[in-house]
Amino acid sequence: MIIAIANLGLYWLAIFMGDEPDSAVPVSSMVQIFGAILSYCLYQLGLKHSRNKYGIDENGQPFKDKYEED
């Protein structure tokens, strides 16, 4: 993600300096940024699902017993 943001910044710097860089650079940079954010969100969703499935909190401590007595 850092490389994609740097590429985007350098692209805008090149435009500001008067060059005409390839237009595929900002498109690929935006796709990389979107992909990184999407993969992080999907990872967190899977982690949350796993925690709920096994009944543990973020530290690995159980917050409910599977066989709770009434």
Side-chain angles (χ1 to χ4, degrees):
M1 187 160 172
I2 294 171
I3 293 171
I5 292 171
N7 282 340
L8 200 57
L10 290 173
Y11 175 79
W12 283 105
L13 181 66
I15 287 177
F16 181 72
M17 299 296 281
D19 293 338
E20 288 190 28
D22 187 15
S23 63
V25 173
V27 173
S28 64
S29 295
M30 295 303 288
V31 167
Q32 287 176 347
I33 291 169
F34 179 73
I37 292 171
L38 182 64
S39 65
Y40 177 75
C41 290
L42 289 173
Y43 168 74
Q44 289 297 323
L45 180 68
L47 191 60
K48 179 66 174 170
H49 175 70
S50 176
R51 286 185 195 158
N52 286 338
K53 181 178 178 183
Y54 296 110
I56 58 174
D57 64 4
E58 64 272 1
N59 297 323
Q61 302 298 321
F63 62 84
K64 66 178 181 179
D65 293 331
K66 275 191 167 181
Y67 306 105
E68 293 181 8
E69 295 182 26
D70 293 327

